[in-house]
């Protein structure tokens, strides 16, 4: 199988390494930074550059660029993609890329599937990529038709070298609603929390809870700012709900209202038990 991968950062680079390590196929690669492509070729993660001339030979094309660059890449290359190919993006938001991807796929005859691998680390770039990044992780799929079992099975086979453990099927709208809560809010809260003046004095007086809460504060600002603005409506809903909740805790503490504070804490404990068991 010939696979094309556009974007060779953490996600795309890990995809390329996984395909080379766990299959005997050919990987064509593209990156906006030509030096990254050169490094990927030297490493052995990419066989040749992905071009308009050879993209037609790819059975699977994975786009792992920022959302705006993913759309730009797809628009420029759609006329050259084989009707037999499946194109899968890896953007952190799905509505815009899926809307344009489905439109272009219909116009040019190939198959487009939205995707979002549920894996990552706080470092970015090809140097941080790993062939094992997706091992036992989940993969979210946004297909053009929700109940196309044959397409889902094909996607699973195409992505088999990544060794995902689960595949979840959803819509672009539902994905963006939920990802605002499960991922994007966690990055905002962590990033805001670490700005406290107390943070510089934490060493020796911090443990697991501090590490868990601040891990994702170490993020890629350019990428996450783009994702937050792409998902503005859902992020604002979650932010406003969270701020409102924090105000209740603040007011209970300020008023030394033990009963209210205990009730709030117990509500959170019970909610965690309900949603995660």
């Amino acid at each position: 199988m010939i696979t094309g991968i556009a974007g060779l950062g953490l996600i795309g680079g890990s995809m390329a390494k996984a395909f080379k390590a766990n299959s005997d196929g050919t990987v064509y690669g593209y990156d906006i930074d030509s030096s990254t492509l050169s490094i990927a070729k030297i490493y052995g993660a990419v066989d040749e550059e992905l071009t308009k001339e050879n993209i037609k030979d790819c059975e699977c094309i994975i786009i792992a660029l920022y959302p705006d660059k993913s759309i730009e890449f797809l628009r420029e290359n759609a006329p050259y993609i084989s009707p037999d190919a499946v194109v899968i993006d890896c953007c952190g938001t799905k509505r815009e890329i899926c809307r344009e991807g489905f439109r272009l796929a219909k116009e040019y005859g190939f198959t487009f599937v939205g995707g979002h691998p549920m894996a990552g680390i706080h470092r970015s770039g090809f140097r941080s990529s790993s062939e094992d990044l997706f091992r036992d992780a989940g993969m979210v799929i946004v297909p053009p038709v929700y109940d196309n079992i044959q397409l889902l099975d094909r996607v699973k086979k195409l992505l088999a070298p990544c060794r995902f453990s689960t595949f979840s099927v959803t819509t672009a709208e539902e994905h963006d609603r939920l990802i605002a809560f499960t991922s994007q809010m966690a990055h905002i809260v962590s990033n805001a929390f670490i700005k406290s003046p107390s943070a510089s004095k934490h060493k020796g007086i911090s443990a697991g809870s501090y590490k868990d809460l601040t891990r994702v504060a170490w993020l890629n600002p350019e990428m996450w700012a783009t994702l937050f603005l792409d998902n503005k409506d859902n992020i604002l809903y979650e932010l406003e709900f969270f701020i409102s909740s924090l105000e209740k805790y603040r007011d209970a503490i300020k008023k030394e209202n033990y009963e209210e504070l205990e009730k709030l804490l117990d509500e959170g404990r019970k909610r965690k038990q309900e949603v995660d068991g």
Side-chain angles (χ1 to χ4, degrees):
M1 182 175 76
I2 300 176
T3 303
I5 301 178
L8 297 171
L10 176 67
I11 299 300
S14 295
M15 290 270 186
K17 289 178 180 179
F19 272 85
K20 292 306 293 182
N22 303 311
S23 71
D24 57 1
T26 299
V27 174
Y28 295 149
Y30 163 81
D31 196 88
I32 293 170
D33 182 355
S34 60
S35 64
T36 298
L37 174 61
S38 298
I39 292 169
K41 290 174 69 174
I42 293 170
Y43 183 92
V46 169
D47 295 295
E48 298 292 342
E49 181 179 4
L50 177 64
T51 66
K52 286 182 172 64
E53 286 70 35
N54 61 28
I55 198 170
K56 67 180 185 300
D57 301 323
C58 297
E59 181 180 349
C60 178
I61 300 164
I62 297 167
I63 306 177
L65 299 162
Y66 289 177
D68 58 334
K69 296 299 181 183
S70 293
I71 292 173
E72 183 180 315
F73 177 87
L74 198 50
R75 285 173 177 166
E76 290 180 357
N77 289 276
Y80 309 100
I81 296 173
S82 168
D84 297 323
V86 174
V87 180
I88 306 169
D89 87 282
C90 295
C91 294
T93 55
K94 297 266 68 81
R95 285 176 291 179
E96 290 300 319
I97 183 65
C98 284
R99 187 179 297 116
E100 188 66 358
F102 293 151
R103 183 188 71 80
L104 290 168
K106 184 177 181 180
E107 181 177 350
Y108 292 100
F110 59 87
T111 300
F112 178 86
V113 176
H116 189 180
M118 295 290 98
I121 56 175
H122 63 265
R123 297 183 298 276
S124 60
F126 182 81
R127 72 177 70 181
S128 300
S129 62
S130 166
E131 66 184 67
D132 293 321
L133 181 66
F134 310 112
R135 185 173 186 173
D136 297 327
M139 179 67 172
V140 179
I141 296 297
V142 180
V145 179
Y146 190 83
D147 58 353
N148 189 334
I149 303 302
Q150 289 182 323
L151 177 58
L152 178 59
D153 185 60
R154 186 180 178 192
V155 170
K156 287 181 178 180
K157 290 177 180 177
L158 290 173
L159 296 180
C162 297
R163 297 181 289 183
F164 289 106
S165 62
T166 60
F167 286 80
S168 302
V169 179
T170 188
T171 64
E173 291 74 20
E174 183 68 5
H175 170 277
D176 287 0
R177 276 194 294 271
L178 289 176
I179 211 68
F181 171 72
T182 61
S183 176
Q184 295 177 342
M185 271 297 294
H187 285 78
I188 290 174
V189 172
S190 180
N191 197 264
F193 178 83
I194 199 64
K195 293 176 182 176
S196 167
S198 302
S200 60
K201 304 172 184 178
H202 81 85
K203 292 182 180 178
I205 317 178
S206 62
S209 56
Y210 169 82
K211 292 179 181 178
D212 290 344
L213 184 55
T214 60
R215 180 180 66 83
V216 292
W218 199 350
L219 45 67
N220 179 333
E222 182 184 1
M223 181 186 77
W224 283 100
T226 299
L227 293 175
F228 294 155
L229 294 180
D230 279 350
N231 205 20
K232 174 184 173 182
D233 54 341
N234 292 308
I235 281 288
L236 286 176
Y237 170 82
E238 294 294 344
L239 268 174
E240 288 166 3
F241 183 88
F242 184 64
I243 291 168
S244 176
S245 295
L246 284 179
E247 288 174 345
K248 294 177 183 178
Y249 289 87
R250 181 200 62 194
D251 292 345
I253 292 170
K254 184 184 290 186
K255 297 174 183 177
E256 297 185 13
N257 188 337
Y258 177 89
E259 290 75 16
E260 176 65 13
L261 183 58
E262 184 183 38
K263 181 173 78 72
L264 290 169
L265 294 169
D266 195 45
E267 287 172 350
R269 179 190 65 81
K270 288 177 179 177
R271 185 61 175 150
K272 173 64 175 176
Q273 188 174 19
E274 288 174 4
V275 298
D276 291 327

